[in-house]
Amino acid sequence: MQSDASGGLPAITLKNVHKRYGPLQVLDGLSLNVERGEVYGFLGRNGAGKSTTIRLLMGITQADEGVVSLFGENIGDALIPIRQRIGYVAQEQHFYPWMSPKALGNFLKGFYPNWDKQRYAQLLERFELPLKRKSAVFSGGMKAKLALSVALASKPQLLILDEPTAGMDPVARREFLDLVREESTHAGTTTFFSTHLIDDIESIASRIGIVENGKTIYDGSLQALSRGVVAYRIDAENDYPDALPGEFVKHAAQVLQHMQGPQHRTLILRFADEVPADMPLNLGWRRHSLSLEDIFIAVVAGQTQGRN
Amino acid sequence: MALAGVPTLVRKEFREHGLSMLLLGGGFVITLLLAHAQNQQAAFAMSPLQVLLLSVTLVIPLIAFIMGNRLISTEYLGHTRQFVESLPINPLVFLIIKYLLGLLFVGGLALVAIAYTWLLSDSGDALDRKLLTIVLVKVLCVVFFIWSVVFCFSFFGFLRFALYVMLGVVIVTLVTYPGFDQREFGPFALLDQGVFAFERDNMPIKAALQTLFMGAVFTLAGFLLPLMRDGSLIESLAKPIDRSNMVVLAVIGVGVLATLGSLLEKWDVPEYSFSSDHVVSEVDPPVSILYLEPIYEEQSKQLLESMRDLIVPLQQALDLKVMPTVRVALDKGLSETNLNDIRFGSADGVLVRANYLKYDSFSMAVLQTNALHQLIQATSGERRTFEPYHWLLDGFTRWWVEESLAIEEHKVELFARAVNSVVYLEEPIDLVHNWQWIAEEVSYPSAEALAYTALVFYEQQFGREAVLELANLVLAPKVSDNVFGVISDRRISIQSSFRNVTGQKIERFFIDWQEWLLDQQSEPAVANLLSMVPNVRGAASSETSANGVHELIGRYEVIDSVNHDAVAGFTCDMQHVLISPFDYEIAWTSGEHETQACDNFDTLHSVSSYYAAGDRVFVAFEVQVDAFHQAIRVGAQRLVVE
């Protein structure tokens, strides 16, 4: 691994980043930090600004305003050395179709000083990728595996994954995620995993950021989020106007979603701190379990309601 | 460190495009060699600079387009650019590599072409260091411009085709717009055919700078485009054409077609009619004679009748559907030596100025032959004066006229002229491949006489119907103006048509015909005429007088003593005209004559201070013998003034 003079500085720092394409404000004050060695899940709906954020991190595009730094250095000031420390798997793989994995390895080793030929060969073998077949005939899943092999063979300090599992079959997806997890655990590689697939994040991320409308609406651990977002439900026959689950709601909760159905009414609330499961509730109210996907939708919806 | 990936990228480009570059380069060199070889084999070799000019204007843009397509368009349309952009290398370096690779490749091909031109050039081209430098500057500036345009346009995805079409329209518009003098502007000036091989003193600095500036603008645009909107503009252009693009392209296409249609309509010159009261005319076939003064009406009517009597059966024999108007205008100013002046551009029909008041039957036959020549030229879509067919067109039209007139004296004169030409040329005659060379060596009247005798022999061998069948196959079909029509026309050779009609190879026929023609020398009437032709050769040389004046000197060498019992005397004419390396057929309209009486051929023609060193001049020597209606050529050469 390359010597690192940046010490304990975060792997990624985005501070109040703005980016506009014509009339469209894509990023509007985005801020986040990714610490060394952590797997950071970057969640957001389509069009929320995930891909633009990754383009900024890769130095493919520049921010209109704000700070984009990797390993403590501004990406614009040290583009090439920073990229040499990054392994990148794009959403769609656009390898030269005439290149076989072997030719691709020979091509890429000219760009990465830490290129590990043996590791590359091992990864290709593990993914059962034919060494001499042109990548033009590879399936989407094979191309994604090839991209991950390429990214890891450069022995990166930071792995940036841009929705890499979209369109993969379940087996390939499992293999892919297993390798990402291993890399993080054993090599201590920082991973920035952008996706809209909650399951992927749930299985590997230690911390997540949720982006909506170009802003970070959540930045913290997955556990804290799931503990802080709680749903309460009351049946229609017990309900009355403006009824709340309890007095505690008035003081510390943000209403993310308010759903009125014919049978019952549901409130999804976000608390600053964890809400004890035995918190006393008003008559008729009960606590309702939420999946991570429900939480994600509620958080995003809460942001949208807040904006409206 | 910033250039760490450069060798890898260069290797990648060579691995990806090396074979194509090798094939394109090899193809270019082969094309160059073939073009030069064909040029050297041709009856009149052009300057190697012309081949260079053709390669720069035609072949190199095509190769540049292919390279632009491979190096840039494919990279953007296939989105592989996105892969490279994520690698640890500056995207600008990626573009610079592609730009330089393409530029060096097409520039290298241009240098190969220049080097080969230099190797082939002889003293006639005088490709000295200074001219070489000028040519080098011109070609490299143009190549830079061409590659810059291709580089820029290649970023436009599928829209680049529309851009090339628009560029073509702009160029055509500029070239045809009378208010724009392209010879003064940028690449047009550098590639100006009129001066490309001649300008050996002045470096075209202004035009070179204009070309470089334009090239730089396109280059800059090419480098800026991928950076605009962080590359999203290029990404949009690289997307496959959707329905809205198709609509835009369709609108552009319709606009281009409308513009071209409008221009073509303007170029389509309608036939015009003589508006004078002093015109006699026929509607079917369309023939008009303009005579200007009432006293010439009777002679004009006679001419009209004779033309009608020729054209009506010709139309039936060749099954000509559309007949252009044959117009003859009386011009009393034409001299005895040139009694008719035909306009060879026949898009608006046939127009001949003629002094038919002074005609005898032979001169009338010449006029009628010329008119029929132009008529068939017009009905065949301007294709029948191409070298392989030209002899048949000339021979057939004269044969048709003489068959109608049936005057023995004409036949004798034509045979004597043809026999004299065969003897003069001293080598087997191939009318198909060497027509222009023969016409230059012995003059057009003699070449026409040769073709006429060939048709007479052909008629004797295969019959009259075979003459008409061959004419129907070769001369009658209208060739379409479009490229497919031309290719289709070229697909069937005159050799194969000849073999289909006669069952004999045309080469065998030419050998038999020449033997037969030489036998005609023993015919008393022919022999009598031939005895009057002086056996002399004219030759020109370029000399410099003691006081440094360039002189063109013409001398005669007497091969056999002149038979003064047969003829009283001769008139010698040295004709000379400035030509370019690109002149294939000599246009005499701007030529000069130096005419003297020359009983003993000890005459010296001398032209002083008319030409400069390096000028190419065509010189022809003709002797006017009273027994012949048209002068006999006794020498022809192309020379470079030293």
Side-chain angles (χ1 to χ4, degrees), chain A residues 13-306:
Chain A
T13 303
L14 297 178
K15 202 178 288 176
N16 194 28
V17 174
H18 289 75
K19 180 70 186 176
R20 173 184 285 276
Y21 288 117
L24 187 66
Q25 186 75 47
V26 182
L27 298 182
D28 190 13
L30 182 83
S31 297
L32 58 88
N33 275 319
V34 179
E35 298 302 328
R36 304 284 178 113
E38 71 177 343
V39 178
Y40 188 86
F42 192 51
L43 283 165
R45 296 194 294 179
N46 290 333
K50 298 192 300 296
S51 291
T52 303
T53 305
I54 287 183
R55 287 170 68 86
L56 285 169
L57 292 176
M58 289 299 298
I60 295 169
T61 187
Q62 279 78 46
D64 299 334
E65 195 184 327
V67 175
V68 179
S69 75
L70 284 90
F71 311 107
E73 288 189 273
N74 190 314
I75 181 77
D77 297 339
L79 179 73
I80 292 163
I82 287 177
R83 276 194 187 169
Q84 285 174 335
R85 297 161 73 180
I86 297 175
Y88 173 57
V89 179
Q91 190 172 354
E92 285 176 63
Q93 315 309 328
H94 296 295
F95 300 120
Y96 287 100
W98 54 272
M99 280 188 184
S100 63
K102 186 180 178 186
L104 187 64
N106 288 333
F107 173 61
L108 291 172
K109 71 181 179 190
F111 294 95
Y112 295 97
N114 296 325
W115 183 262
D116 188 337
K117 197 177 168 184
Q118 276 188 330
R119 173 82 169 132
Y120 183 58
Q122 285 168 0
L123 290 166
L124 293 180
E125 197 178 337
R126 173 172 173 168
F127 283 135
E128 296 175 347
L129 293 171
L131 202 62
K132 293 180 181 173
R133 195 178 297 172
K134 289 178 181 176
S135 67
V137 298
F138 283 12
S139 67
M142 288 167 86
K143 283 182 183 172
K145 289 175 186 173
L146 179 60
L148 184 61
S149 305
V150 161
L152 296 180
S154 67
K155 298 174 84 174
Q157 294 173 17
L158 171 63
L159 193 58
I160 294 180
L161 310 172
D162 184 7
E163 304 193 25
T165 56
M168 269 189 189
D169 66 72
V171 178
R173 187 161 153 246
R174 173 68 61 85
E175 286 177 325
F176 188 97
L177 293 174
D178 285 349
L179 186 59
V180 172
R181 194 181 298 111
E182 275 175 38
E183 186 69 16
S184 169
T185 309
H186 297 124
T189 308
T190 311
T191 305
F192 185 87
F193 196 139
S194 166
T195 187
H196 58 264
L197 301 173
I198 313 296
D199 291 351
D200 288 356
I201 293 293
E202 205 165 8
S203 63
I204 61 169
S206 50
R207 207 156 64 84
I208 65 164
I210 298 176
V211 61
E212 176 67 11
N213 296 315
K215 285 181 182 162
T216 319
I217 56 172
Y218 179 78
D219 183 11
S221 74
L222 198 55
Q223 291 77 11
L225 181 66
S226 58
R227 285 197 296 261
V229 177
V230 185
Y232 297 99
R233 178 171 287 178
I234 186 167
D235 293 337
E237 63 264 29
N238 299 324
D239 201 6
Y240 60 90
D242 300 328
L244 290 173
E247 285 302 307
F248 64 95
V249 170
K250 286 184 178 172
H251 305 295
Q254 176 200 351
V255 178
L256 295 179
Q257 269 187 308
H258 185 182
M259 294 175 288
Q260 179 70 64
Q263 305 294 323
H264 47 247
R265 182 161 67 95
T266 307
L267 276 176
I268 301 179
L269 306 171
R270 182 174 173 185
F271 296 88
D273 300 312
E274 184 181 354
V275 182
D278 55 355
M279 179 69 76
L281 299 174
N282 291 335
L283 189 65
W285 287 95
R286 61 186 184 277
R287 193 164 171 157
H288 183 70
S289 62
L290 287 172
S291 66
L292 190 60
E293 189 166 299
D294 293 333
I295 294 171
F296 169 70
I297 291 168
V299 170
V300 171
Q303 175 68 19
T304 311
Q305 281 174 4

